[in-house]
Amino acid sequence: MSDPADETTDDTPRAIDVPNDPTLMEKIVNLSKRRGFVFPSAEIYGGFRSTYDYGPIGVLLLRNVKDAWWRSMVQLRDDVVGLDASILSPPAVWEASGHLTNFTDPLVDCKVCHERFREDQLNDPRVCPSCGAEDSFTEARQFNLMFKTQAGPVESEGAVAYLRPETAQGMFINFSNVLQASRKKPPFGIAQIGKSFRNEITPGNFVFRTREFEQMELEFFVPPDEAAQWYEYWCQQRYQWYLDLGIPEAKLRMRPHDADELSHYSSDTSDVEFLFPWGWGELEGVANRGDYDLTQHAAHSGDKLDYFDQATNTRYTPHVIEPAAGATRTMMAFLLSAYDEEEVRGDVRTVLRLHPRLAPYKVAVLPLSKKDTLTPVAREVLALLQPSFMCDYDETQAIGRRYRRQDELGTPFCVTVDFDSLDDRAVTVRERDTMTQERVPIDDLVAYLASRLV
Ligand code: ATP
């Protein structure tokens, strides 16, 4: 049995050049499967292309990403309220929003290998990336990305329903309900986290682009003359959110859209982009949507979707600033930026340097050995910590291997219960990034960890 103190010898860990590692993506996919972050869906039936299941660790990480967003967007503010709208919705919503006609991607088929591609994503519009044939593409046709289904037992046009391709419309169609119920007035926002569905032509790059994914969206309603300033505000806030949670500045950028990329109703849009192993990719779009959405739904539904300002005795349709992020895609960006390897005494240590707020487990309780004498104290420590922190408990294998496993899960602290603990009522707390160890009395443990896990 190795001694937990072994790790802190004088050999300083040596950094390995992870950012330039061409196999990084493969390592993340392997780690995800091995440690229970993300599994390919329906694997025992051969898999189902580009769908994924979040395992015991992934479900915690994804939840922490969503909680961190909710905390910053709802909990720490008094001008944003939450919503959880339905996923199924009638065609009228998508007629009004423009999705039925406009939510399309240009689809081309290769006449040689019959693969399908998004025309706007081809590197060379003449050459098939799959078989290399030249000038083999069909004319592009517009392919609608919405999933259509039937609600109820009768298959008829009247029963058609759509799975939402974004959460945003739920906020617009509930504008009046929320305004009345919450007694907010512009500027105020409605936030929502939930699943969205898009029948993507070319899903891929692990969970970057999937047909079922989770979004975190805010619709922030403002007086028209304040829209430009709120747009700047949200661009800045959202960029900072990723930095605060550990994405390095060198891998994050704000990219304003060119005029030809803007939707017809948007006066300004910027994407928060992350440097993925294959290049820059969008994590979030922040858009100044003007009054397009409320005006469209008011016209189609016949309801008034505006605001009467008693102070100025005026009625106006608020403008909307929308920061729209992807939870699953963002989780992957956090994983990629947290992944690190270093050489410790001749061995490669893999460690996820996740922000403590995102770490799946905050603490692991590890009895030094499986001896019966240690179990009661270890269980007591676990029970003491569980109400405050998400904990793992692991008593199998040598302690060094258990530390490595927790490093790979990104657990910020390991608490080791050893034979001295029986006498001195203290435990060894080992910190993930530095591997330093400190002896802490059991009675002080909750406060000690809480002060380091903010
Ligand atoms: P893209 O250009 O990558 O297709 P988009 O501009 O269509 O994305 P939005 O409609 O702005 O995306 O959606 C907001 C966010 O939702 C995106 O920034 C992304 O994080 C996430 N998202 C969109 N589509 C997918 C998808 N198919 N899989 C995973 N996340 C997605």
Side-chain angles (χ1 to χ4, degrees):
M1 179 79 47
S2 32
D3 181 350
D6 271 4
E7 263 191 341
T8 51
T9 56
D10 31 60
D11 325 47
T12 334
R14 214 163 51 79
I16 293 173
D17 189 8
V18 169
N20 296 319
D21 180 353
T23 62
L24 176 60
M25 202 50 222
E26 201 182 309
K27 286 177 173 169
I28 292 289
V29 174
N30 289 343
L31 176 76
S32 293
K33 170 92 196 289
R34 186 159 43 87
R35 292 298 189 203
F37 285 88
V38 179
F39 304 127
S41 194
E43 207 179 7
I44 60 166
Y45 291 105
F48 184 44
R49 194 177 164 212
S50 290
T51 51
Y52 292 94
D53 297 339
Y54 291 78
I57 307 301
V59 73
L60 296 173
L61 177 57
L62 184 59
R63 177 172 297 205
N64 292 342
V65 170
K66 293 185 284 184
D67 283 353
W69 186 90
W70 191 266
R71 181 178 186 274
S72 131
M73 304 300 263
V74 183
Q75 185 183 331
L76 297 179
R77 309 185 62 96
D78 64 0
D79 56 359
V80 175
V81 292
L83 183 77
D84 191 355
S86 71
I87 287 172
L88 281 177
S89 40
V93 172
W94 309 107
E95 179 77 54
S97 67
H99 281 77
L100 275 181
T101 35
N102 298 328
F103 199 59
T104 56
D105 278 338
L107 170 73
V108 290
D109 293 83
C110 170
K111 285 184 257 181
V112 177
C113 69
H114 306 293
E115 278 284 320
R116 296 183 150 176
F117 303 96
R118 250 175 81 172
E119 192 190 34
D120 57 332
Q121 286 181 345
L122 291 171
N123 286 330
D124 180 340
R126 290 185 51 240
V127 182
C128 172
S130 181
C131 69
E134 284 185 27
D135 296 317
S136 62
F137 291 125
T138 56
E139 281 291 303
R141 57 184 191 281
Q142 291 304 320
F143 173 76
N144 196 297
L145 300 183
M146 281 200 293
F147 279 99
K148 193 176 181 180
T149 187
Q150 300 276 332
V154 185
E155 284 194 21
S156 69
E157 259 315 294
V160 168
Y162 290 92
L163 301 189
R164 65 182 180 200
E166 58 174 33
T167 66
Q169 300 306 319
M171 272 92 90
F172 299 132
I173 62 180
N174 277 293
F175 173 75
S176 295
N177 285 339
V178 173
L179 195 65
Q180 275 160 30
S182 67
R183 301 175 65 239
K184 297 282 176 206
K185 57 183 192 131
F188 85 103
I190 310 178
Q192 179 169 208
I193 298 176
K195 287 233 165 154
S196 294
F197 302 82
R198 296 182 188 179
N199 199 1
E200 298 279 3
I201 297 169
T202 44
N205 281 332
F206 198 37
V207 299
F208 178 81
R209 189 179 303 285
T210 48
R211 296 199 168 108
E212 175 181 346
F213 55 98
E214 276 195 275
Q215 291 189 305
M216 312 182 285
E217 297 194 287
L218 171 73
E219 306 304 328
F220 200 72
F221 302 94
V222 301
D225 60 351
E226 293 178 21
Q229 110 201 24
W230 279 109
Y231 168 73
E232 293 302 329
Y233 169 86
W234 280 113
C235 284
Q236 190 274 328
Q237 288 282 311
R238 295 304 307 147
Y239 181 76
Q240 192 60 41
W241 184 80
Y242 295 92
L243 291 182
D244 290 348
L245 288 171
I247 304 248
E249 216 166 339
K251 289 200 168 181
L252 198 69
R253 72 175 186 193
M254 204 74 192
R255 189 184 66 81
H257 280 203
D258 296 333
D260 61 349
E261 278 181 276
L262 291 174
S263 12
H264 61 95
Y265 49 78
S266 171
S267 56
D268 269 308
T269 299
S270 291
D271 289 343
V272 182
E273 293 188 336
F274 174 74
L275 189 54
F276 286 94
W278 60 88
W280 291 98
E282 175 185 332
L283 294 180
E284 168 161 1
V286 183
N288 180 347
R289 300 177 62 93
D291 63 2
Y292 174 77
D293 308 279
L294 291 182
T295 306
Q296 283 292 107
H297 283 298
H300 282 251
S301 67
D303 269 17
K304 272 207 181 88
L305 297 177
D306 55 15
Y307 177 71
F308 180 69
D309 188 349
Q310 283 175 334
T312 57
N313 212 18
T314 50
R315 185 174 284 283
Y316 65 87
T317 302
H319 284 206
V320 170
I321 311 301
E322 176 194 76
T328 36
R329 195 180 278 188
T330 295
M331 180 190 114
M332 180 176 163
F334 283 128
L335 267 180
L336 283 162
S337 14
Y339 187 92
D340 198 10
E341 288 175 358
E342 61 185 13
E343 216 177 282
V344 183
R345 284 181 289 125
D347 271 348
V348 174
R349 175 174 95 112
T350 300
V351 51
L352 285 187
R353 301 193 192 276
L354 286 167
H355 187 287
R357 184 161 291 139
L358 300 179
Y361 293 124
K362 312 300 178 200
V363 193
V365 177
L366 314 172
L368 185 61
S369 87
K370 228 178 152 181
K371 291 255 162 53
D372 288 349
T373 36
L374 291 186
T375 308
V377 187
R379 290 256 160 221
E380 178 197 331
V381 170
L382 178 67
L384 181 78
L385 299 179
Q386 274 172 327
S388 307
F389 314 106
M390 188 71 215
C391 299
D392 192 17
Y393 182 83
D394 187 2
E395 57 182 13
T396 54
Q397 296 187 322
I399 190 72
R401 295 185 71 175
R402 280 183 277 159
Y403 282 159
R404 291 293 178 272
R405 177 170 179 272
Q406 294 301 330
D407 289 341
E408 284 198 332
L409 303 182
T411 310
F413 293 103
C414 289
V415 168
T416 307
V417 177
D418 56 24
F419 294 98
D420 289 341
S421 308
L422 303 177
D423 302 321
D424 67 0
R425 298 280 304 160
V427 288
T428 300
V429 179
R430 175 221 189 234
E431 201 268 332
R432 175 195 70 197
D433 292 340
T434 56
M435 295 182 290
T436 49
Q437 304 190 0
E438 207 176 327
R439 199 79 184 158
V440 179
I442 292 174
D443 287 346
D444 299 346
L445 199 53
V446 170
Y448 175 94
L449 292 169
S451 68
R452 284 161 178 79
L453 283 166
V454 277

